[in-house]
Amino acid sequence: MACFLVSAAEAAVVTAVEKAEEKKEMEMAEAGEVEVKETRIPLSRKLKWLTWMLWGGAGLLMFEHIWHGEVVPWFPFLTAVSNRADAIGMLQEMATAGVGMALLITLVWFVMCKAADRIIARDESEAVHRA
Amino acid sequence: MTLLITVFAAVIATVKWYNREDDNMRLGILCFLYWGASIMWLVDALFEYAELRAAYFTPAPADMLNDAFLGFSVVALGLVIWLVRLLITDPKGSVKRALKKK
């Protein structure tokens, strides 16, 4: 009914954090406080991966809800809000499926970041061995 | 059916991304878009399976057709989003070159 809203809310928060982190990294690099390493994946880049997954998933799921007539272009935009029983069902779905979707995407992203770090570290140690 | 079609789109996009020669096409965005949607539909499918059990795997032909239609529409929408972003960011400078041409 409106499960995609949980991921969209998380996407909005992560986007704000990502922009702040990107700004911080740029300021630190300009000030010369940190050495810009090519072998390290910046946190802002990793957060960008998460925002793309969350916005992409939420956007395409919203399209599915429009397809099924659950999201409409007029106020209050969600047909389930029009009566109390449907609204409760919608909130239950958001609390179960919606939270589940957001958690699984975040978990997949976390595993992906760990794997990316290991690939970079492996590449670096191979280069050291070769030298 | 929607989940299946989106997963196939995600796998094809990822294989294309892996075999890319440069980053000009920004295929990573397309991968994230489809994988994000696939993960979300997977969770949706798990909740539906918990409710319907075996009946989940025997949908009515009309429902399957509608879901397939939806799946292909979702893939098309994802491609349009990716293409619009590609043209706006114009990493290869093709749009800029075309606009500056006299």
Side-chain angles (χ1 to χ4, degrees):
Chain A
M1 286 177 201
C3 47
F4 68 92
L5 287 179
V6 181
S7 296
E10 188 190 340
V13 173
V14 176
T15 304
V17 174
E18 185 249 312
K19 295 288 172 208
E21 180 62 28
E22 198 175 21
K23 201 179 161 192
K24 200 175 95 183
E25 283 169 6
M26 275 178 74
E27 280 171 1
M28 283 172 86
E30 276 169 16
E33 285 174 30
V34 282
E35 194 187 335
V36 184
K37 276 188 179 178
E38 273 186 28
T39 50
R40 205 183 117 253
I41 304 169
L43 179 63
S44 62
R45 193 172 162 205
K46 288 177 181 169
L47 287 171
K48 204 163 258 173
W49 300 343
L50 181 61
T51 56
W52 270 110
M53 276 204 284
L54 287 167
W55 280 125
L60 294 181
L61 243 79
M62 190 181 80
F63 176 72
E64 187 223 325
H65 286 71
I66 294 170
W67 184 281
H68 289 133
E70 291 166 352
V71 173
V72 285
W74 53 85
F75 191 79
F77 308 111
L78 300 164
T79 48
V81 179
S82 54
N83 73 73
R84 200 180 160 83
D86 283 350
I88 291 168
M90 182 191 81
L91 290 173
Q92 275 174 344
E93 199 196 68
M94 282 170 77
T96 52
V99 171
M101 286 168 180
L103 283 177
L104 189 62
I105 286 189
T106 311
L107 180 73
V108 168
W109 169 76
F110 184 76
V111 172
M112 209 173 88
C113 289
K114 288 283 164 205
D117 284 339
R118 286 195 74 167
I119 290 167
I120 295 286
R122 190 179 61 195
D123 196 43
E124 205 175 345
S125 71
E126 276 173 9
V128 169
H129 277 287
R130 261 186 262 124
Chain B
M1 199 67 172
T2 314
L3 168 66
L4 207 61
I5 291 168
T6 319
V7 168
F8 274 116
V11 169
I12 292 167
T14 310
V15 170
K16 290 294 269 180
W17 171 82
Y18 187 79
N19 283 317
R20 75 198 184 283
E21 276 165 19
D22 51 51
D23 267 333
N24 283 337
M25 295 303 281
R26 299 279 194 269
L27 284 168
I29 289 166
L30 197 60
C31 298
F32 286 128
L33 218 78
Y34 288 146
W35 279 120
S38 299
I39 292 166
M40 286 171 80
W41 266 307
L42 174 72
V43 174
D44 208 29
L46 289 173
F47 275 94
E48 214 175 319
Y49 174 75
E51 201 181 304
L52 302 171
R53 296 283 164 184
Y56 175 78
F57 298 106
T58 49
D63 290 342
M64 241 172 89
L65 189 69
N66 186 263
D67 274 357
F69 189 21
L70 172 64
F72 286 118
S73 303
V74 162
V75 172
L77 180 64
L79 285 169
V80 169
I81 293 169
W82 165 74
L83 190 65
V84 167
R85 198 178 184 277
L86 184 74
L87 293 176
I88 290 170
T89 53
D90 193 21
K92 215 174 169 183
S94 295
V95 178
K96 203 173 162 184
R97 259 199 317 279
L99 292 173
K100 279 188 174 177
K101 206 168 141 185
K102 284 178 188 170

